[in-house]
Amino acid sequence: MEKVGKKLSVLVGCNYENTPYRLHGCHNDVLAMRDVLVNRFGFDSQHIELLMDKSGSPIMPTGVNIKKALNKMVDEAEQGDILYFHFSGHGTLTGKKNQEEAIIPCDFNYITNVDIRKIVNRVPQGATFTILSDSCHSGGLIDKEKEQIGPSHHKPEKNNYVSVPNKSESTSKSYYSKPKFIPHETILEHLTSLTNINTSNIGTHMLQLFGNDASVMFSLPQLELDLLKPLKQDEGILLSGCQANEECQDVGGIENENKAYGAFSHAILIVLEKNCDPISYKELVMKSRYVLENDEHIKTQHPCLYCSDENAQALFLSQG
């Protein structure tokens, strides 16, 4: 019988407080997911590391701290363990050739798809590593992962899916929806103001500011192909809030920030609430697509699933 092990999680919410890139719902997303992990999926709260960029947080979600938490989780993992990483915050494209995907920590020290691939390659055989990224351009965040639901996927008949309430019924003028995306040019301008180096090569700025703590995409480009080569059967599972060419939305929060949320995170929570029985990864993502398609306030946003064929049919977080 396959060993059933411990459940470990890293939850990261970046609202980028006191910056021009302010979001409102990212802290709420990870706090709500923490409750679901504990109350529905049996995670021990002591095995959930929560990183939020709010005043008084003991550990801020910088690039270094996020990668440290993820690597620590993988270091502790054994066969049969369930690992879960939830990121809610800004995403971007790196500006490098082929426009690689990245998430943006609170200090702008990119965590790229190459970094994520390097971490996933270390997951022990027989453990599973699920990543939910509620950020713009998040499709493909685990580099070279197989697309199960994405740009080439055909939509199912809607009557195969349960009806869900429209989350954004309010039509008041206070309604708020903001893309969780910072353009590459904007970040380049920000980094240039810090380094005073006149170059459009973002890697140069990253290495100047963060040194060896910068993404391996910038520090070790010659080893990129070796890093991306899976050394064993791949256990990485990515639920992305949108396709690589799309933007996720941060919703609400102008008058009451406690009601703000990331559209994808909230869609996942709605589906889990409406489906008490165990649900597969593929079904969870398809139903979250349906939730967003029926929200009149959400701009085009299509959640995706990237993983092996076997994991696509597996139960979300091995529930049941």
Side-chain angles (χ1 to χ4, degrees):
M1 179 178 295
E2 187 173 328
K3 177 183 176 182
V4 178
K6 56 188 176 293
K7 301 178 180 182
L8 309 171
S9 180
V10 174
L11 309 179
V12 178
C14 290
N15 274 349
Y16 312 92
E17 297 181 349
N18 302 315
T19 76
Y21 319 108
R22 183 81 158 89
L23 297 173
H24 295 275
C26 301
H27 296 169
N28 297 336
D29 290 340
V30 293
L31 289 171
M33 183 55 70
R34 180 183 61 179
D35 291 342
V36 170
L37 292 179
V38 172
N39 296 326
R40 174 165 178 168
F41 293 100
F43 280 66
D44 186 332
S45 59
Q46 294 184 345
H47 291 160
I48 299 175
E49 184 157 3
L50 184 65
L51 303 179
M52 299 189 296
D53 57 343
K54 61 188 302 184
S55 177
S57 292
I59 303 176
M60 297 295 284
T62 63
V64 169
N65 288 339
I66 294 172
K67 286 187 285 190
K68 182 178 179 181
L70 292 176
N71 281 307
K72 178 175 179 289
M73 181 169 66
V74 172
D75 288 341
E76 294 176 359
E78 301 172 300
Q79 180 181 359
D81 288 354
I82 300 169
L83 314 182
Y84 180 70
F85 171 42
H86 190 124
F87 177 81
S88 182
H90 281 303
T92 194
L93 298 171
T94 63
K96 289 176 71 68
K97 185 179 179 180
N98 299 325
Q99 289 290 311
E100 305 290 351
E101 300 84 6
I103 56 176
I104 305 178
C106 66
D107 63 345
F108 290 81
N109 185 7
Y110 283 5
I111 298 177
T112 68
N113 56 1
V114 181
D115 300 309
I116 298 296
R117 164 53 65 193
K118 182 182 178 183
I119 293 170
V120 168
N121 281 352
R122 297 182 51 240
V123 175
Q125 186 172 2
T128 59
F129 189 6
T130 299
I131 299 173
L132 190 154
S133 187
D134 190 348
S135 58
C136 290
H137 305 292
S138 47
L141 193 58
I142 303 181
D143 204 20
K144 309 304 182 187
E145 197 63 71
K146 181 176 181 179
E147 176 192 307
Q148 298 289 341
I149 301 172
S152 63
H153 184 84
H154 296 289
K155 292 193 297 184
E157 294 296 327
K158 289 186 177 180
N159 59 13
N160 290 337
Y161 294 89
V162 297
S163 176
V164 294
N166 186 339
K167 177 63 185 174
S168 303
E169 292 177 350
S170 172
T171 57
S172 69
K173 293 182 180 179
S174 64
Y175 181 82
Y176 159 95
S177 179
K178 179 179 181 179
K180 304 172 82 169
F181 169 60
I182 307 177
H184 169 72
E185 294 76 16
T186 301
I187 295 176
L188 187 60
E189 182 179 346
H190 171 72
L191 296 178
T192 300
S193 71
L194 299 176
T195 64
N196 293 316
I197 298 175
N198 184 20
T199 178
S200 61
N201 185 331
I202 198 165
T204 300
H205 296 290
M206 290 289 182
L207 291 171
Q208 175 67 25
L209 290 170
F210 304 111
N212 292 334
D213 293 324
S215 170
V216 293
M217 176 179 288
F218 307 121
S219 60
L220 296 173
Q222 71 276 12
L223 297 180
E224 184 173 339
L225 291 178
D226 291 333
L227 285 171
L228 295 179
K229 186 185 298 181
L231 303 178
K232 56 182 176 53
Q233 183 178 356
D234 192 5
E235 299 292 352
I237 305 169
L238 171 65
L239 294 79
S240 66
C242 61
Q243 297 172 178
N245 64 333
E246 293 180 339
E247 297 175 346
C248 287
Q249 298 294 314
D250 184 54
V251 180
I254 287 181
E255 295 183 347
N256 186 351
E257 190 163 279
N258 290 330
K259 294 184 178 180
Y261 58 88
F264 179 51
S265 294
H266 201 86
I268 290 291
L269 294 172
I270 287 175
V271 175
L272 292 174
E273 181 181 0
K274 293 290 179 179
N275 294 265
C276 297
D277 293 331
I279 186 170
S280 72
Y281 284 93
K282 192 168 187 177
E283 187 177 15
L284 177 60
V285 173
M286 289 310 309
K287 288 188 174 184
S288 73
R289 277 192 166 203
Y290 184 39
V291 171
L292 295 176
E293 287 171 2
N294 283 271
D295 189 327
E296 62 179 322
H297 296 295
I298 300 300
K299 299 176 182 179
T300 303
Q301 180 179 337
H302 299 93
C304 301
L305 175 65
Y306 298 85
C307 62
S308 67
D309 294 341
E310 181 180 0
N311 282 332
Q313 302 302 328
L315 297 178
F316 178 63
L317 300 182
S318 299
Q319 184 193 19

